Amino acid sequence: KQWYQRRVREIKSTTRSSWKTIFNKKGQWLSRDRDEGITQDKWCLDDCAVDLPLSKAWQLDSTSFELPKAEVFNLAPSILDSHVMDATNSSQDIETEYFASGYATKKIMFSKTAGVYVSGSLAFSSNVVEVQNGTAQVDDSTNVDFTLGVWHAEATGQSSWFGCRAPAGKKVRCSAQMDRVLIEAPFTQAWKRGKCVWTISG
């Protein structure tokens, strides 16, 4: 970094303009910002900014989750089926069973909030975070294919019988419901190409 900044200053001192167009060794245009060498210090280290932004040419090196910072939210349940049982004119309790069915949908997205710029679709495989005993845990049993910033959805059919009982002289509504949970888990990914490693987080 020090060599890069010093070299840029030497070039500018010999030019009439206050700006100098900077190219990498592939002849690709990098910048005309006289202060950019301060923030882009990896341009002079293994040419690690030559092939930025991140694209499908890069490979995912690792994904880590900050589970202590993960949050679990219990959302309002979804109603699969609902019936009214009326025993207002009955001297006895009324009881029956209903069959309810539906789909349990799991939706997951890796949403980038910080790190280097990403161009186009960035596909990768990763473990996912699940809720176990009320806390967020990484499920190491399977890998799922994702595209950064795109929802991944899986739907599984669920069905069961449920009982409904109305006491004598009462009218009740019985519902079969499915619990819903939202997990927000911070993550960091390292992307690698050759000797170069850049990170993103979200």
Side-chain angles (χ1 to χ4, degrees), residues 71-76 105 107 130-131 178-183:
E71 295 184 275
V72 178
F73 303 92
N74 293 311
L75 306 180
T105 303
K107 297 177 66 179
E130 303 277 3
V131 175
M178 186 176 295
D179 294 335
R180 297 192 305 143
V181 175
L182 171 66
I183 312 170

Side-chain angles (χ1 to χ4, degrees), residues 42-202:
K42 288 196 175 183
W43 279 347
C44 58
L45 178 63
D46 299 325
D47 292 319
C48 280
V50 168
D51 297 308
L52 285 178
L54 293 184
S55 64
K56 61 182 180 181
W58 292 73
Q59 299 295 320
L60 179 64
D61 188 55
S62 64
T63 300
S64 59
F65 297 95
E66 296 183 69
L67 294 182
K69 296 183 179 180
E71 295 184 275
V72 178
F73 303 92
N74 293 311
L75 306 180
S78 58
I79 305 300
L80 298 180
D81 202 354
S82 182
H83 294 274
V84 174
M85 183 76 68
D86 191 354
T88 52
N89 297 320
S90 175
S91 59
Q92 297 180 339
D93 295 351
I94 298 178
E95 186 174 3
T96 189
E97 286 187 335
Y98 295 101
F99 185 76
S101 62
Y103 287 91
T105 303
K106 180 189 299 182
K107 297 177 66 179
I108 309 169
M109 181 171 66
F110 283 78
S111 178
K112 173 182 172 291
T113 58
V116 295
Y117 182 69
V118 175
S119 176
S121 304
L122 207 57
F124 59 92
S125 296
S126 175
N127 301 124
V128 297
V129 176
E130 303 277 3
V131 175
Q132 298 179 10
N133 299 320
T135 61
Q137 301 291 332
V138 177
D139 182 5
D140 295 321
S141 63
T142 182
N143 273 353
V144 179
D145 294 331
F146 292 97
T147 299
L148 188 68
V150 177
W151 284 105
H152 170 86
E154 298 177 357
T156 305
Q158 303 284 333
S159 61
S160 180
W161 290 92
F162 70 98
C164 185
R165 179 175 177 272
K170 301 290 184 180
K171 181 168 69 172
V172 300
R173 176 177 292 275
C174 299
S175 300
Q177 65 184 33
M178 186 176 295
D179 294 335
R180 297 192 305 143
V181 175
L182 171 66
I183 312 170
E184 292 185 353
F187 73 91
T188 299
Q189 288 183 334
W191 288 82
K192 188 174 184 179
R193 185 175 185 183
K195 297 180 180 179
C196 301
V197 178
W198 291 93
T199 60
I200 60 174
S201 58

Side-chain angles (χ1 to χ4, degrees), residues 17-57:
S17 171
S18 61
W19 302 99
K20 177 63 181 178
T21 301
I22 304 170
F23 296 90
N24 60 32
K25 68 178 184 180
K26 292 185 177 181
Q28 297 168 320
W29 178 81
L30 293 180
S31 174
R32 293 184 68 247
D33 186 345
R34 58 188 172 187
D35 297 321
E36 199 141 9
I38 296 173
T39 58
Q40 297 291 343
D41 59 331
K42 288 196 175 183
W43 279 347
C44 58
L45 178 63
D46 299 325
D47 292 319
C48 280
V50 168
D51 297 308
L52 285 178
L54 293 184
S55 64
K56 61 182 180 181

